[in-house]
Amino acid sequence: MFDPKSRAWIVPSLCLISLLVSLEVDGSPAPMILLESAVAKGAVCLDGSPPAYHFLPGSGSGVNSWLVFMEGGGWCRNVTECVERTGNFRGSSKFMKELSFSGILGDNQKTNPDFYNWNRIKIRYCDGSSFTGDVEAVDPATNLHYRGARVHHATSHANVAECLQALLSGCSAGGLASILHCDDFRNLLPSSANVKCFSDAGYFIDAKDISGADSVKSLYTDVVNLHGSTKNLPSSCNSMETPSRCFFPQYVMPTMSTPLFILNSAYDSWQIMNILVPSSADPGQAWAECKLDIKKCSSSQLQTLQGFRSQFLQALPTSNSTGMFIISCHTHCQSGGRPTWQDVDSPMIENTTIAKAVGDWYNDRSAVRKIDCEYPCNSSCPNITNE
């Protein structure tokens, strides 16, 4: 349980991982808890405020099982963007509010059969670097703290002696973080524990935009340089690749040792809007409607999207141990809500929901490598909207 006086977790005989999180109960709001003890370690949000978290304890068969979900929210690549984030919950815990758990974090056994009674955590994201930054100096003119990795490290420790199962997960920038920190997370836990990682909409690919520019590579290079991320990217990748390339999952995956499940759309709405067709590559806004609604794409635009899908599939790992659910819906992030995770009209591939696919893979009930057909073949896609 949580001791409000000491601001510490007291969970005898459990796998205790005190991590930055935001608590949500399936449809019910939960209070936010500030991890004020982390401030002394320099583990703070961009504005220097303490990190925040929420936690839902496990019960029954799930008391020794842990699900850690890392919140997403893009990145800041320069001082101006990072300063802007300090005025909202993406850069300061001062603006964070109560949240609700649902989807993979929900406590409904019917809609979340494999993880409903686990200890569930959601790490709040307020550093703008997918938890990789670590710069000691703070410019008094901006008061920006690039300390994402410290937040991660300061909160990823505790008595894990009796942890039997664990899953590190996340969405978008948090989904990328679940890949970048996957092997480190595995090393925190007993070798006997079943530890795996799950990335939702975090498999961002190294692709040129429609103008032929390397827009996303430029973005990641700026993020890595600004936040001092190099030393906190997977060392196995850093030894062979330039640091900015180690921000791309396709270059990290070959060196990973911990099993990973990839949930992604081959027509990911964020990637189409920011990697394939960023504003800089479409000054005339010819893609404005298509980027927001794939049904409004012209035949030539759809052909370009099919080419992007091909690049995405080519960037995926070939190992059979990697689980996959690559759908053709035009969306972004699907594990955090019941409608897309598992419900009566949830998106499916081969009559399988996302929840069932992830659960089957995690529990070794079956190998799961489901890759959907080309848009617009999947009739379950109209049931979801872009996030």
Side-chain angles (χ1 to χ4, degrees):
M1 60 182 170
F2 182 74
D3 181 348
K5 294 183 179 179
S6 65
R7 312 297 291 179
W9 291 106
I10 304 173
V11 188
S13 302
L14 293 184
C15 162
L16 176 58
I17 307 172
S18 295
L19 288 158
L20 265 172
V21 294
S22 52
L23 170 65
E24 305 176 63
V25 186
D26 202 0
S28 302
M32 185 182 73
I33 300 169
L34 296 178
L35 192 60
E36 296 176 351
S37 61
V39 176
K41 302 175 183 178
V44 293
C45 297
L46 282 168
D47 70 337
S49 61
Y53 69 90
H54 303 274
F55 167 74
L56 186 63
S59 61
S61 61
V63 295
N64 285 333
S65 300
W66 290 79
L67 171 62
V68 179
F69 191 95
M70 306 178 84
E71 186 179 38
W75 310 271
C76 57
R77 66 189 302 176
N78 54 49
V79 170
T80 299
E81 291 182 0
C82 291
V83 168
E84 182 179 356
R85 290 169 79 99
T86 63
N88 59 61
F89 66 94
R90 296 299 184 199
S92 173
S93 60
K94 297 175 184 177
F95 300 95
M96 293 178 184
K97 299 180 180 180
E98 295 179 346
L99 298 175
S100 299
F101 273 6
S102 187
I104 193 172
L105 292 169
D107 59 1
N108 186 313
Q109 184 175 6
K110 181 178 180 180
T111 57
N112 189 27
D114 290 289
F115 308 107
Y116 77 98
N117 65 345
W118 284 29
N119 297 281
R120 277 153 288 142
I121 297 169
K122 184 177 179 181
I123 301 176
R124 295 307 300 265
Y125 180 49
C126 62
D127 66 270
S129 71
S130 286
F131 301 95
T132 63
D134 190 359
V135 177
E136 178 66 30
V138 176
D139 184 348
T142 62
N143 193 41
L144 288 172
H145 296 69
Y146 304 113
R147 304 283 181 77
R150 294 193 191 189
V151 167
H152 174 71
H153 294 153
T155 55
S156 302
H157 62 80
N159 174 19
V160 295
E162 296 187 25
C163 179
L164 302 180
Q165 301 184 106
L167 180 65
L168 178 66
S169 61
C171 159
S172 194
L176 172 60
S178 72
I179 296 174
L180 299 179
H181 296 296
C182 183
D183 283 345
D184 285 343
F185 182 74
R186 158 69 274 185
N187 293 334
L188 285 173
L189 307 175
S191 59
S192 59
N194 182 23
V195 181
K196 300 182 180 182
C197 302
F198 166 50
S199 172
D200 177 6
Y203 204 90
F204 301 96
I205 67 169
D206 183 5
K208 294 183 181 296
D209 64 35
I210 58 172
S211 73
D214 290 311
S215 296
V216 68
K217 186 177 294 183
S218 175
L219 165 64
Y220 284 170
T221 298
D222 289 347
V223 170
V224 169
N225 291 338
L226 178 69
H227 292 265
S229 300
T230 299
K231 59 183 174 293
N232 297 305
L233 296 174
S235 58
S236 55
C237 177
N238 265 339
S239 64
M240 299 184 296
E241 302 281 0
T242 58
S244 60
R245 279 169 67 89
C246 290
F247 223 71
F248 287 103
Q250 68 199 80
Y251 305 124
V252 173
M253 282 296 302
T255 67
M256 283 180 59
S257 59
T258 308
L260 174 73
F261 191 101
I262 301 168
L263 167 62
N264 231 101
S265 168
Y267 307 89
D268 183 277
S269 56
W270 191 96
Q271 295 201 48
I272 289 172
M273 186 174 294
N274 296 280
I275 294 180
L276 182 63
V277 196
S279 298
S280 60
D282 184 34
Q285 298 190 347
W287 281 76
E289 291 189 343
C290 174
K291 290 196 296 184
L292 295 175
D293 185 351
I294 196 171
K295 295 187 292 295
K296 296 182 179 180
C297 295
S298 67
S299 57
S300 62
Q301 288 172 333
L302 190 56
Q303 185 175 2
T304 299
L305 295 185
Q306 303 296 15
F308 183 79
R309 172 183 181 270
S310 296
Q311 290 185 71
F312 184 87
L313 297 183
Q314 290 171 7
L316 291 171
T318 58
S319 171
N320 289 330
S321 65
T322 302
M324 292 184 191
F325 195 96
I326 310 301
I327 204 162
S328 61
C329 307
H330 182 228
T331 190
H332 183 68
C333 289
Q334 301 171 81
S335 63
R338 188 173 73 181
T340 46
W341 179 244
Q342 178 152 298
D343 212 342
V344 291
D345 59 354
S346 293
M348 296 188 291
I349 301 177
E350 299 172 355
N351 294 319
T352 301
T353 63
I354 296 169
K356 186 177 189 307
V358 176
D360 285 350
W361 167 80
Y362 181 85
N363 291 295
D364 297 319
R365 292 192 289 259
S366 66
V368 180
R369 289 180 64 86
K370 295 188 178 297
I371 298 179
D372 211 354
C373 45
E374 289 187 353
Y375 174 87
C377 67
N378 192 327
S379 60
S380 70
C381 286
N383 296 326
I384 66 176
T385 57
N386 294 340
E387 296 183 12

